[in-house]
Amino acid sequence: MAEVVILDSPKTIASLAADAVVSLLADKPTAVLGLATGSSPLALYDELVRRHRAGEVSFARAKAFMLDEYVGLSDSHPERYRNVIEREIASRVDFEPGAVAGPDGNAADLKAACAAYEEAIRAAGGIDLQILGIGSDGHIAFNEPSSSLSSRTRIKTLTQQTIADNARFFGGDEAAVPRHVLTQGLGTIMEARHLVLMALGRSKAEAVHQMLEGGVSALWPASIIQFHPHATVLLDTGAASRLQLTSYYRHVYAGKPAWQQL
Ligand code: F6R
């Protein structure tokens, strides 16, 4: 099963996730990271920047791949995920130019761009640690309900729920949210060696419950992580509020040996 850790504050969640990234880079400076956008990882990115400035971690030899990208936002649009990642993390630490890649949502041939992205991940040796959020409809990356559980990077249509959820990044205007995205598939994500998923707030509670405790199903695409050999799920109490086995998760984490990392 996934390791489920329920914590009191976004800050503690960010700090634990940062520990995982920092210790990976200490062991393997050339590690390949998978970066999510959205609000869930923002505190983690701030914490990584803080540790980088404190001299505790370097990304100079690392590479990173983004999870997804909107189709059709202009290159300079502030919500284009490539720009979001640049702003929130890439430009604030010491990645080499070109070390952070994302699917090209403006490619003339989107299908070819998806295939090229898969190939780039493969050529880099695969993703060591994939940071994930979860949508309130149970998506990871932009694998919306009904996604193939073995899908690869491809074009998807956002659900009405995700459009409504993401309108907050577009001044509250649902009409401004692109309908289409390029996203790593569930099969792509499942090949990352360690998944670290963060979820905050009650709006994620049902999706988190279905992901961890429901049946594995295309209706709740994140449930595929039940098959992952090394998945860590970091939750605040709101996101954990519909879980059935809360006391067991707390018991397991409280008894975890000090030497065992996430
Ligand atoms: C973003 C992504 C999405 C988000 C999810 C949650 O790259 O892949 O799956 O992680 O929509 O978004 P937030 O964190 O904004 O609640």
Side-chain angles (χ1 to χ4, degrees):
M1 71 170 215
E3 177 174 31
V4 182
V5 187
I6 303 167
L7 297 160
D8 287 333
S9 75
K11 231 180 137 101
T12 334
I13 290 174
S15 171
L16 210 57
D19 289 348
V21 174
V22 168
S23 93
L24 169 67
L25 286 167
D27 288 349
K28 184 181 179 187
T30 58
V32 180
L33 301 174
L35 301 176
T37 39
S39 48
S40 306
L42 290 179
L44 163 63
Y45 295 154
D46 285 347
E47 179 61 14
L48 288 174
V49 170
R50 192 190 68 72
R51 294 193 196 189
H52 169 66
R53 289 185 182 150
E56 293 168 24
V57 61
S58 169
F59 299 80
R61 297 174 61 203
K63 283 199 177 77
F65 288 91
M66 295 164 50
L67 276 175
D68 39 21
E69 182 60 274
Y70 290 117
V71 169
L73 287 187
S74 72
D75 285 356
S76 61
H77 196 293
E79 289 309 318
R80 186 177 171 238
Y81 277 174
R82 191 68 193 75
N83 298 333
V84 173
I85 282 293
E86 196 60 29
R87 189 165 71 232
E88 301 297 351
I89 174 95
S91 67
R92 300 164 74 201
V93 296
D94 59 345
F95 279 115
E96 284 292 323
V100 179
D104 181 359
N106 287 329
D109 183 344
L110 292 171
K111 217 171 154 197
C114 292
Y117 197 58
E118 286 280 333
E119 183 45 40
I121 294 173
R122 233 185 327 269
I127 291 168
D128 290 298
L129 186 155
Q130 177 65 59
I131 296 158
L132 294 168
I134 181 169
S136 60
D137 66 359
H139 68 230
I140 48 175
F142 277 136
N143 294 282
E144 297 286 31
S146 80
S147 287
S148 156
L149 297 176
S150 60
S151 46
R152 313 301 307 189
T153 303
R154 69 212 182 292
I155 188 165
K156 287 292 288 179
T157 304
L158 295 180
T159 60
Q160 204 46 51
Q161 177 69 55
T162 301
I163 290 170
D165 287 349
N166 285 10
R168 70 190 193 283
F169 296 112
F170 293 82
D173 180 8
E174 289 186 18
V177 182
R179 269 40 191 168
H180 296 110
V181 292
L182 300 187
T183 180
Q184 284 190 32
L186 294 170
T188 319
I189 293 168
M190 285 294 285
E191 284 172 8
R193 288 180 271 275
H194 183 193
L195 305 180
V196 177
L197 186 146
M198 291 175 286
L200 305 172
R202 295 187 78 89
S203 65
K204 304 293 175 68
E206 177 65 15
V208 165
H209 163 62
Q210 295 290 348
M211 163 175 72
L212 295 170
E213 299 175 334
V216 174
S217 131
L219 198 55
W220 296 96
S223 61
I224 190 68
I225 79 160
Q226 293 178 31
F227 281 121
H228 198 284
H230 189 189
T232 306
V233 176
L234 305 176
L235 305 171
D236 69 2
T237 49
S241 60
R242 281 201 31 72
L243 289 175
Q244 244 169 277
L245 303 181
T246 307
S247 49
Y248 179 58
Y249 305 136
R250 289 191 188 276
H251 169 73
V252 171
Y253 189 63
K256 188 170 172 162
W259 51 262
Q260 197 180 27
Q261 297 183 328
L262 284 184

PDB file of all heavy atoms in Angstrom, residues 71-108:
ATOM      1  N   VAL A  71      -2.898  23.223 -23.671  1.00  0.00           N
ATOM      2  CA  VAL A  71      -2.756  23.389 -25.113  1.00  0.00           C
ATOM      3  C   VAL A  71      -3.239  24.781 -25.487  1.00  0.00           C
ATOM      4  O   VAL A  71      -4.327  25.200 -25.070  1.00  0.00           O
ATOM      5  CB  VAL A  71      -3.586  22.316 -25.878  1.00  0.00           C
ATOM      6  CG1 VAL A  71      -3.672  22.639 -27.369  1.00  0.00           C
ATOM      7  CG2 VAL A  71      -2.981  20.936 -25.662  1.00  0.00           C
ATOM      8  N   GLY A  72      -2.394  25.484 -26.226  1.00  0.00           N
ATOM      9  CA  GLY A  72      -2.840  26.710 -26.874  1.00  0.00           C
ATOM     10  C   GLY A  72      -2.682  27.994 -26.077  1.00  0.00           C
ATOM     11  O   GLY A  72      -3.137  29.039 -26.542  1.00  0.00           O
ATOM     12  N   LEU A  73      -2.050  27.964 -24.904  1.00  0.00           N
ATOM     13  CA  LEU A  73      -1.763  29.245 -24.233  1.00  0.00           C
ATOM     14  C   LEU A  73      -0.510  29.822 -24.864  1.00  0.00           C
ATOM     15  O   LEU A  73       0.450  29.083 -25.134  1.00  0.00           O
ATOM     16  CB  LEU A  73      -1.526  29.041 -22.724  1.00  0.00           C
ATOM     17  CG  LEU A  73      -2.731  28.717 -21.845  1.00  0.00           C
ATOM     18  CD1 LEU A  73      -2.320  28.730 -20.373  1.00  0.00           C
ATOM     19  CD2 LEU A  73      -3.879  29.696 -22.075  1.00  0.00           C
ATOM     20  N   SER A  74      -0.484  31.135 -25.062  1.00  0.00           N
ATOM     21  CA  SER A  74       0.672  31.742 -25.726  1.00  0.00           C
ATOM     22  C   SER A  74       1.929  31.495 -24.894  1.00  0.00           C
ATOM     23  O   SER A  74       1.852  31.288 -23.681  1.00  0.00           O
ATOM     24  CB  SER A  74       0.446  33.239 -25.892  1.00  0.00           C
ATOM     25  OG  SER A  74       0.557  33.847 -24.619  1.00  0.00           O
ATOM     26  N   ASP A  75       3.091  31.533 -25.559  1.00  0.00           N
ATOM     27  CA  ASP A  75       4.360  31.246 -24.878  1.00  0.00           C
ATOM     28  C   ASP A  75       4.561  32.122 -23.652  1.00  0.00           C
ATOM     29  O   ASP A  75       5.203  31.724 -22.689  1.00  0.00           O
ATOM     30  CB  ASP A  75       5.534  31.448 -25.845  1.00  0.00           C
ATOM     31  CG  ASP A  75       5.615  30.295 -26.839  1.00  0.00           C
ATOM     32  OD1 ASP A  75       4.821  29.335 -26.703  1.00  0.00           O
ATOM     33  OD2 ASP A  75       6.465  30.361 -27.753  1.00  0.00           O
ATOM     34  N   SER A  76       4.014  33.351 -23.699  1.00  0.00           N
ATOM     35  CA  SER A  76       4.273  34.278 -22.592  1.00  0.00           C
ATOM     36  C   SER A  76       3.141  34.290 -21.557  1.00  0.00           C
ATOM     37  O   SER A  76       3.200  35.032 -20.587  1.00  0.00           O
ATOM     38  CB  SER A  76       4.449  35.689 -23.156  1.00  0.00           C
ATOM     39  OG  SER A  76       3.248  36.059 -23.811  1.00  0.00           O
ATOM     40  N   HIS A  77       2.108  33.472 -21.761  1.00  0.00           N
ATOM     41  CA  HIS A  77       0.985  33.482 -20.809  1.00  0.00           C
ATOM     42  C   HIS A  77       1.467  33.059 -19.417  1.00  0.00           C
ATOM     43  O   HIS A  77       2.114  32.016 -19.280  1.00  0.00           O
ATOM     44  CB  HIS A  77      -0.115  32.536 -21.293  1.00  0.00           C
ATOM     45  CG  HIS A  77      -1.430  32.751 -20.604  1.00  0.00           C
ATOM     46  ND1 HIS A  77      -1.618  32.472 -19.260  1.00  0.00           N
ATOM     47  CD2 HIS A  77      -2.612  33.244 -21.042  1.00  0.00           C
ATOM     48  CE1 HIS A  77      -2.857  32.771 -18.916  1.00  0.00           C
ATOM     49  NE2 HIS A  77      -3.491  33.249 -19.980  1.00  0.00           N
ATOM     50  N   PRO A  78       1.152  33.856 -18.384  1.00  0.00           N
ATOM     51  CA  PRO A  78       1.670  33.520 -17.050  1.00  0.00           C
ATOM     52  C   PRO A  78       1.189  32.176 -16.515  1.00  0.00           C
ATOM     53  O   PRO A  78       1.850  31.586 -15.657  1.00  0.00           O
ATOM     54  CB  PRO A  78       1.162  34.665 -16.152  1.00  0.00           C
ATOM     55  CG  PRO A  78       0.141  35.398 -16.950  1.00  0.00           C
ATOM     56  CD  PRO A  78       0.409  35.123 -18.400  1.00  0.00           C
ATOM     57  N   GLU A  79       0.047  31.662 -17.003  1.00  0.00           N
ATOM     58  CA  GLU A  79      -0.458  30.377 -16.505  1.00  0.00           C
ATOM     59  C   GLU A  79      -0.015  29.186 -17.349  1.00  0.00           C
ATOM     60  O   GLU A  79      -0.379  28.050 -17.045  1.00  0.00           O
ATOM     61  CB  GLU A  79      -1.983  30.405 -16.372  1.00  0.00           C
ATOM     62  CG  GLU A  79      -2.453  31.289 -15.236  1.00  0.00           C
ATOM     63  CD  GLU A  79      -1.744  30.981 -13.902  1.00  0.00           C
ATOM     64  OE1 GLU A  79      -1.558  29.794 -13.584  1.00  0.00           O
ATOM     65  OE2 GLU A  79      -1.365  31.933 -13.203  1.00  0.00           O
ATOM     66  N   ARG A  80       0.718  29.462 -18.427  1.00  0.00           N
ATOM     67  CA  ARG A  80       1.309  28.343 -19.158  1.00  0.00           C
ATOM     68  C   ARG A  80       2.199  27.602 -18.152  1.00  0.00           C
ATOM     69  O   ARG A  80       3.004  28.232 -17.439  1.00  0.00           O
ATOM     70  CB  ARG A  80       2.130  28.911 -20.322  1.00  0.00           C
ATOM     71  CG  ARG A  80       2.682  27.882 -21.242  1.00  0.00           C
ATOM     72  CD  ARG A  80       3.411  28.577 -22.401  1.00  0.00           C
ATOM     73  NE  ARG A  80       4.128  27.583 -23.167  1.00  0.00           N
ATOM     74  CZ  ARG A  80       5.440  27.605 -23.376  1.00  0.00           C
ATOM     75  NH1 ARG A  80       6.185  28.596 -22.922  1.00  0.00           N
ATOM     76  NH2 ARG A  80       6.006  26.637 -24.059  1.00  0.00           N
ATOM     77  N   TYR A  81       2.041  26.290 -18.032  1.00  0.00           N
ATOM     78  CA  TYR A  81       2.721  25.571 -16.958  1.00  0.00           C
ATOM     79  C   TYR A  81       4.245  25.705 -17.034  1.00  0.00           C
ATOM     80  O   TYR A  81       4.927  25.718 -16.008  1.00  0.00           O
ATOM     81  CB  TYR A  81       2.287  24.099 -16.937  1.00  0.00           C
ATOM     82  CG  TYR A  81       0.982  23.880 -16.195  1.00  0.00           C
ATOM     83  CD1 TYR A  81       0.390  22.627 -16.183  1.00  0.00           C
ATOM     84  CD2 TYR A  81       0.355  24.902 -15.500  1.00  0.00           C
ATOM     85  CE1 TYR A  81      -0.803  22.399 -15.491  1.00  0.00           C
ATOM     86  CE2 TYR A  81      -0.829  24.694 -14.810  1.00  0.00           C
ATOM     87  CZ  TYR A  81      -1.400  23.436 -14.802  1.00  0.00           C
ATOM     88  OH  TYR A  81      -2.568  23.214 -14.113  1.00  0.00           O
ATOM     89  N   ARG A  82       4.764  25.812 -18.250  1.00  0.00           N
ATOM     90  CA  ARG A  82       6.218  26.007 -18.401  1.00  0.00           C
ATOM     91  C   ARG A  82       6.651  27.278 -17.668  1.00  0.00           C
ATOM     92  O   ARG A  82       7.693  27.316 -17.013  1.00  0.00           O
ATOM     93  CB  ARG A  82       6.542  26.103 -19.902  1.00  0.00           C
ATOM     94  CG  ARG A  82       7.996  26.044 -20.223  1.00  0.00           C
ATOM     95  CD  ARG A  82       8.518  24.637 -19.897  1.00  0.00           C
ATOM     96  NE  ARG A  82       9.976  24.573 -19.883  1.00  0.00           N
ATOM     97  CZ  ARG A  82      10.740  25.055 -18.908  1.00  0.00           C
ATOM     98  NH1 ARG A  82      10.222  25.659 -17.868  1.00  0.00           N
ATOM     99  NH2 ARG A  82      12.053  24.943 -18.979  1.00  0.00           N
ATOM    100  N   ASN A  83       5.808  28.327 -17.774  1.00  0.00           N
ATOM    101  CA  ASN A  83       6.130  29.599 -17.106  1.00  0.00           C
ATOM    102  C   ASN A  83       5.904  29.506 -15.601  1.00  0.00           C
ATOM    103  O   ASN A  83       6.629  30.111 -14.823  1.00  0.00           O
ATOM    104  CB  ASN A  83       5.297  30.737 -17.712  1.00  0.00           C
ATOM    105  CG  ASN A  83       5.626  30.927 -19.185  1.00  0.00           C
ATOM    106  OD1 ASN A  83       6.732  30.625 -19.626  1.00  0.00           O
ATOM    107  ND2 ASN A  83       4.666  31.417 -19.956  1.00  0.00           N
ATOM    108  N   VAL A  84       4.882  28.752 -15.207  1.00  0.00           N
ATOM    109  CA  VAL A  84       4.600  28.596 -13.776  1.00  0.00           C
ATOM    110  C   VAL A  84       5.784  27.901 -13.101  1.00  0.00           C
ATOM    111  O   VAL A  84       6.283  28.339 -12.055  1.00  0.00           O
ATOM    112  CB  VAL A  84       3.291  27.792 -13.554  1.00  0.00           C
ATOM    113  CG1 VAL A  84       3.081  27.486 -12.077  1.00  0.00           C
ATOM    114  CG2 VAL A  84       2.090  28.550 -14.120  1.00  0.00           C
ATOM    115  N   ILE A  85       6.244  26.824 -13.721  1.00  0.00           N
ATOM    116  CA  ILE A  85       7.359  26.060 -13.124  1.00  0.00           C
ATOM    117  C   ILE A  85       8.632  26.903 -13.084  1.00  0.00           C
ATOM    118  O   ILE A  85       9.393  26.871 -12.119  1.00  0.00           O
ATOM    119  CB  ILE A  85       7.579  24.738 -13.919  1.00  0.00           C
ATOM    120  CG1 ILE A  85       6.516  23.717 -13.516  1.00  0.00           C
ATOM    121  CG2 ILE A  85       8.976  24.182 -13.723  1.00  0.00           C
ATOM    122  CD1 ILE A  85       6.602  23.210 -12.067  1.00  0.00           C
ATOM    123  N   GLU A  86       8.837  27.699 -14.133  1.00  0.00           N
ATOM    124  CA  GLU A  86      10.007  28.585 -14.175  1.00  0.00           C
ATOM    125  C   GLU A  86       9.956  29.560 -12.997  1.00  0.00           C
ATOM    126  O   GLU A  86      10.937  29.756 -12.289  1.00  0.00           O
ATOM    127  CB  GLU A  86       9.971  29.339 -15.515  1.00  0.00           C
ATOM    128  CG  GLU A  86      11.261  29.999 -15.922  1.00  0.00           C
ATOM    129  CD  GLU A  86      12.425  29.027 -16.072  1.00  0.00           C
ATOM    130  OE1 GLU A  86      12.206  27.838 -16.397  1.00  0.00           O
ATOM    131  OE2 GLU A  86      13.553  29.469 -15.812  1.00  0.00           O
ATOM    132  N   ARG A  87       8.769  30.124 -12.793  1.00  0.00           N
ATOM    133  CA  ARG A  87       8.566  31.143 -11.757  1.00  0.00           C
ATOM    134  C   ARG A  87       8.644  30.540 -10.353  1.00  0.00           C
ATOM    135  O   ARG A  87       9.250  31.115  -9.465  1.00  0.00           O
ATOM    136  CB  ARG A  87       7.177  31.726 -11.994  1.00  0.00           C
ATOM    137  CG  ARG A  87       6.795  32.932 -11.211  1.00  0.00           C
ATOM    138  CD  ARG A  87       5.558  33.580 -11.838  1.00  0.00           C
ATOM    139  NE  ARG A  87       4.329  32.814 -11.669  1.00  0.00           N
ATOM    140  CZ  ARG A  87       3.496  32.475 -12.660  1.00  0.00           C
ATOM    141  NH1 ARG A  87       3.756  32.802 -13.907  1.00  0.00           N
ATOM    142  NH2 ARG A  87       2.397  31.798 -12.410  1.00  0.00           N
ATOM    143  N   GLU A  88       8.018  29.373 -10.162  1.00  0.00           N
ATOM    144  CA  GLU A  88       7.876  28.837  -8.802  1.00  0.00           C
ATOM    145  C   GLU A  88       9.115  28.094  -8.321  1.00  0.00           C
ATOM    146  O   GLU A  88       9.366  28.041  -7.127  1.00  0.00           O
ATOM    147  CB  GLU A  88       6.655  27.899  -8.708  1.00  0.00           C
ATOM    148  CG  GLU A  88       5.333  28.543  -9.057  1.00  0.00           C
ATOM    149  CD  GLU A  88       4.926  29.674  -8.124  1.00  0.00           C
ATOM    150  OE1 GLU A  88       5.586  29.877  -7.087  1.00  0.00           O
ATOM    151  OE2 GLU A  88       3.948  30.368  -8.460  1.00  0.00           O
ATOM    152  N   ILE A  89       9.848  27.475  -9.258  1.00  0.00           N
ATOM    153  CA  ILE A  89      11.011  26.702  -8.794  1.00  0.00           C
ATOM    154  C   ILE A  89      12.231  26.815  -9.708  1.00  0.00           C
ATOM    155  O   ILE A  89      13.320  27.144  -9.224  1.00  0.00           O
ATOM    156  CB  ILE A  89      10.632  25.204  -8.521  1.00  0.00           C
ATOM    157  CG1 ILE A  89      11.856  24.349  -8.184  1.00  0.00           C
ATOM    158  CG2 ILE A  89       9.884  24.544  -9.653  1.00  0.00           C
ATOM    159  CD1 ILE A  89      12.122  24.179  -6.757  1.00  0.00           C
ATOM    160  N   ALA A  90      12.073  26.595 -11.015  1.00  0.00           N
ATOM    161  CA  ALA A  90      13.264  26.427 -11.863  1.00  0.00           C
ATOM    162  C   ALA A  90      14.198  27.628 -11.802  1.00  0.00           C
ATOM    163  O   ALA A  90      15.417  27.472 -11.636  1.00  0.00           O
ATOM    164  CB  ALA A  90      12.844  26.133 -13.300  1.00  0.00           C
ATOM    165  N   SER A  91      13.646  28.836 -11.893  1.00  0.00           N
ATOM    166  CA  SER A  91      14.506  30.032 -11.926  1.00  0.00           C
ATOM    167  C   SER A  91      15.044  30.385 -10.540  1.00  0.00           C
ATOM    168  O   SER A  91      15.912  31.241 -10.416  1.00  0.00           O
ATOM    169  CB  SER A  91      13.711  31.221 -12.470  1.00  0.00           C
ATOM    170  OG  SER A  91      12.687  31.557 -11.528  1.00  0.00           O
ATOM    171  N   ARG A  92      14.541  29.724  -9.493  1.00  0.00           N
ATOM    172  CA  ARG A  92      14.934  30.096  -8.125  1.00  0.00           C
ATOM    173  C   ARG A  92      15.998  29.156  -7.554  1.00  0.00           C
ATOM    174  O   ARG A  92      16.467  29.358  -6.444  1.00  0.00           O
ATOM    175  CB  ARG A  92      13.698  30.104  -7.221  1.00  0.00           C
ATOM    176  CG  ARG A  92      12.629  31.088  -7.680  1.00  0.00           C
ATOM    177  CD  ARG A  92      11.298  30.803  -7.011  1.00  0.00           C
ATOM    178  NE  ARG A  92      11.274  31.205  -5.615  1.00  0.00           N
ATOM    179  CZ  ARG A  92      10.409  30.713  -4.713  1.00  0.00           C
ATOM    180  NH1 ARG A  92       9.533  29.786  -5.073  1.00  0.00           N
ATOM    181  NH2 ARG A  92      10.440  31.119  -3.481  1.00  0.00           N
ATOM    182  N   VAL A  93      16.312  28.092  -8.288  1.00  0.00           N
ATOM    183  CA  VAL A  93      17.395  27.207  -7.858  1.00  0.00           C
ATOM    184  C   VAL A  93      18.399  27.112  -9.009  1.00  0.00           C
ATOM    185  O   VAL A  93      18.329  27.912  -9.944  1.00  0.00           O
ATOM    186  CB  VAL A  93      16.850  25.822  -7.408  1.00  0.00           C
ATOM    187  CG1 VAL A  93      15.966  25.955  -6.173  1.00  0.00           C
ATOM    188  CG2 VAL A  93      16.104  25.120  -8.529  1.00  0.00           C
ATOM    189  N   ASP A  94      19.328  26.153  -8.930  1.00  0.00           N
ATOM    190  CA  ASP A  94      20.439  26.189  -9.886  1.00  0.00           C
ATOM    191  C   ASP A  94      20.354  25.136 -10.985  1.00  0.00           C
ATOM    192  O   ASP A  94      21.384  24.608 -11.416  1.00  0.00           O
ATOM    193  CB  ASP A  94      21.769  26.095  -9.132  1.00  0.00           C
ATOM    194  CG  ASP A  94      21.878  24.817  -8.294  1.00  0.00           C
ATOM    195  OD1 ASP A  94      20.829  24.156  -8.068  1.00  0.00           O
ATOM    196  OD2 ASP A  94      22.992  24.489  -7.857  1.00  0.00           O
ATOM    197  N   PHE A  95      19.146  24.838 -11.473  1.00  0.00           N
ATOM    198  CA  PHE A  95      19.050  23.964 -12.649  1.00  0.00           C
ATOM    199  C   PHE A  95      19.858  24.583 -13.797  1.00  0.00           C
ATOM    200  O   PHE A  95      19.834  25.810 -13.992  1.00  0.00           O
ATOM    201  CB  PHE A  95      17.598  23.844 -13.120  1.00  0.00           C
ATOM    202  CG  PHE A  95      16.767  22.854 -12.359  1.00  0.00           C
ATOM    203  CD1 PHE A  95      15.691  23.284 -11.588  1.00  0.00           C
ATOM    204  CD2 PHE A  95      17.031  21.491 -12.431  1.00  0.00           C
ATOM    205  CE1 PHE A  95      14.893  22.375 -10.896  1.00  0.00           C
ATOM    206  CE2 PHE A  95      16.235  20.571 -11.739  1.00  0.00           C
ATOM    207  CZ  PHE A  95      15.172  21.009 -10.970  1.00  0.00           C
ATOM    208  N   GLU A  96      20.522  23.754 -14.583  1.00  0.00           N
ATOM    209  CA  GLU A  96      21.174  24.231 -15.798  1.00  0.00           C
ATOM    210  C   GLU A  96      20.095  24.644 -16.805  1.00  0.00           C
ATOM    211  O   GLU A  96      19.000  24.055 -16.808  1.00  0.00           O
ATOM    212  CB  GLU A  96      22.003  23.098 -16.429  1.00  0.00           C
ATOM    213  CG  GLU A  96      23.303  22.802 -15.724  1.00  0.00           C
ATOM    214  CD  GLU A  96      24.304  23.942 -15.863  1.00  0.00           C
ATOM    215  OE1 GLU A  96      24.359  24.565 -16.941  1.00  0.00           O
ATOM    216  OE2 GLU A  96      25.013  24.209 -14.874  1.00  0.00           O
ATOM    217  N   PRO A  97      20.410  25.608 -17.686  1.00  0.00           N
ATOM    218  CA  PRO A  97      19.434  25.941 -18.728  1.00  0.00           C
ATOM    219  C   PRO A  97      19.078  24.679 -19.531  1.00  0.00           C
ATOM    220  O   PRO A  97      19.957  23.898 -19.854  1.00  0.00           O
ATOM    221  CB  PRO A  97      20.185  26.948 -19.622  1.00  0.00           C
ATOM    222  CG  PRO A  97      21.318  27.450 -18.790  1.00  0.00           C
ATOM    223  CD  PRO A  97      21.636  26.402 -17.755  1.00  0.00           C
ATOM    224  N   GLY A  98      17.816  24.494 -19.770  1.00  0.00           N
ATOM    225  CA  GLY A  98      17.384  23.323 -20.559  1.00  0.00           C
ATOM    226  C   GLY A  98      17.188  22.060 -19.730  1.00  0.00           C
ATOM    227  O   GLY A  98      16.755  21.029 -20.255  1.00  0.00           O
ATOM    228  N   ALA A  99      17.470  22.133 -18.427  1.00  0.00           N
ATOM    229  CA  ALA A  99      17.354  20.912 -17.604  1.00  0.00           C
ATOM    230  C   ALA A  99      15.914  20.583 -17.230  1.00  0.00           C
ATOM    231  O   ALA A  99      15.617  19.472 -16.821  1.00  0.00           O
ATOM    232  CB  ALA A  99      18.199  21.047 -16.341  1.00  0.00           C
ATOM    233  N   VAL A 100      15.034  21.571 -17.350  1.00  0.00           N
ATOM    234  CA  VAL A 100      13.625  21.327 -17.005  1.00  0.00           C
ATOM    235  C   VAL A 100      12.809  21.282 -18.304  1.00  0.00           C
ATOM    236  O   VAL A 100      12.834  22.235 -19.086  1.00  0.00           O
ATOM    237  CB  VAL A 100      13.076  22.431 -16.076  1.00  0.00           C
ATOM    238  CG1 VAL A 100      11.610  22.169 -15.738  1.00  0.00           C
ATOM    239  CG2 VAL A 100      13.918  22.510 -14.796  1.00  0.00           C
ATOM    240  N   ALA A 101      12.123  20.190 -18.508  1.00  0.00           N
ATOM    241  CA  ALA A 101      11.374  20.020 -19.762  1.00  0.00           C
ATOM    242  C   ALA A 101       9.889  19.848 -19.479  1.00  0.00           C
ATOM    243  O   ALA A 101       9.498  19.387 -18.408  1.00  0.00           O
ATOM    244  CB  ALA A 101      11.892  18.790 -20.511  1.00  0.00           C
ATOM    245  N   GLY A 102       9.086  20.233 -20.459  1.00  0.00           N
ATOM    246  CA  GLY A 102       7.640  20.030 -20.347  1.00  0.00           C
ATOM    247  C   GLY A 102       7.092  19.659 -21.710  1.00  0.00           C
ATOM    248  O   GLY A 102       7.724  19.940 -22.732  1.00  0.00           O
ATOM    249  N   PRO A 103       5.905  19.038 -21.747  1.00  0.00           N
ATOM    250  CA  PRO A 103       5.300  18.765 -23.050  1.00  0.00           C
ATOM    251  C   PRO A 103       4.962  20.085 -23.743  1.00  0.00           C
ATOM    252  O   PRO A 103       4.593  21.051 -23.075  1.00  0.00           O
ATOM    253  CB  PRO A 103       4.028  17.979 -22.706  1.00  0.00           C
ATOM    254  CG  PRO A 103       3.865  18.009 -21.233  1.00  0.00           C
ATOM    255  CD  PRO A 103       5.067  18.641 -20.604  1.00  0.00           C
ATOM    256  N   ASP A 104       5.102  20.115 -25.075  1.00  0.00           N
ATOM    257  CA  ASP A 104       4.925  21.363 -25.819  1.00  0.00           C
ATOM    258  C   ASP A 104       3.471  21.510 -26.277  1.00  0.00           C
ATOM    259  O   ASP A 104       3.069  20.972 -27.311  1.00  0.00           O
ATOM    260  CB  ASP A 104       5.879  21.365 -27.016  1.00  0.00           C
ATOM    261  CG  ASP A 104       5.760  22.656 -27.811  1.00  0.00           C
ATOM    262  OD1 ASP A 104       4.929  23.526 -27.435  1.00  0.00           O
ATOM    263  OD2 ASP A 104       6.489  22.801 -28.810  1.00  0.00           O
ATOM    264  N   GLY A 105       2.717  22.280 -25.499  1.00  0.00           N
ATOM    265  CA  GLY A 105       1.296  22.468 -25.783  1.00  0.00           C
ATOM    266  C   GLY A 105       1.023  23.366 -26.975  1.00  0.00           C
ATOM    267  O   GLY A 105      -0.135  23.565 -27.349  1.00  0.00           O
ATOM    268  N   ASN A 106       2.087  23.905 -27.578  1.00  0.00           N
ATOM    269  CA  ASN A 106       1.905  24.742 -28.770  1.00  0.00           C
ATOM    270  C   ASN A 106       2.506  24.098 -30.016  1.00  0.00           C
ATOM    271  O   ASN A 106       2.662  24.769 -31.047  1.00  0.00           O
ATOM    272  CB  ASN A 106       2.527  26.129 -28.559  1.00  0.00           C
ATOM    273  CG  ASN A 106       1.684  26.955 -27.594  1.00  0.00           C
ATOM    274  OD1 ASN A 106       0.461  26.786 -27.543  1.00  0.00           O
ATOM    275  ND2 ASN A 106       2.309  27.818 -26.823  1.00  0.00           N
ATOM    276  N   ALA A 107       2.870  22.826 -29.909  1.00  0.00           N
ATOM    277  CA  ALA A 107       3.493  22.166 -31.065  1.00  0.00           C
ATOM    278  C   ALA A 107       2.485  22.091 -32.217  1.00  0.00           C
ATOM    279  O   ALA A 107       1.278  21.936 -31.992  1.00  0.00           O
ATOM    280  CB  ALA A 107       3.924  20.753 -30.674  1.00  0.00           C
ATOM    281  N   ALA A 108       3.002  22.194 -33.444  1.00  0.00           N
ATOM    282  CA  ALA A 108       2.124  22.068 -34.615  1.00  0.00           C
ATOM    283  C   ALA A 108       1.559  20.654 -34.664  1.00  0.00           C
ATOM    284  O   ALA A 108       0.400  20.438 -35.022  1.00  0.00           O
ATOM    285  CB  ALA A 108       2.922  22.378 -35.882  1.00  0.00           C
TER     286      ALA A 108
END
